[in-house]
Amino acid sequence: MTTMIRTTHAELEAQRERLLAEVHMTFEELRDRVESYSLSSDELDVWHTIEGIDYLLNGDC
């Protein structure tokens, strides 16, 4: 049996902000560090999670 998790836009946006606060960076700072390949493994995990959140937010899921 498949489990389905429903999340609101507000919950996704709050999670996104918590993740950025966790790494003490703005989205722009994190993106710049991605482009220069200077992230720790934890920061890279945050980046990938934010990419997924942004996909969901932009897709109106």
Side-chain angles (χ1 to χ4, degrees):
M1 184 170 184
T2 304
T3 301
M4 193 170 186
I5 299 172
R6 305 220 9 107
T7 306
T8 66
H9 273 81
E11 290 170 329
L12 288 170
E13 290 170 353
Q15 181 182 4
R16 189 179 190 278
E17 290 304 313
R18 279 192 305 275
L19 288 167
L20 290 169
E22 183 180 303
V23 293
H24 308 288
M25 287 184 240
T26 65
F27 176 78
E28 291 76 19
E29 291 169 327
L30 187 61
R31 184 190 60 221
D32 290 346
R33 297 224 13 226
V34 165
E35 291 173 358
S36 66
Y37 300 96
S38 60
L39 293 178
S40 69
S41 62
D42 289 338
E43 292 165 342
L44 186 58
D45 287 342
V46 166
W47 173 254
H48 288 302
T49 303
I50 288 176
E51 283 183 312
I53 290 170
D54 288 350
Y55 173 80
L56 293 172
L57 288 172
N58 293 326
D60 293 325
C61 295

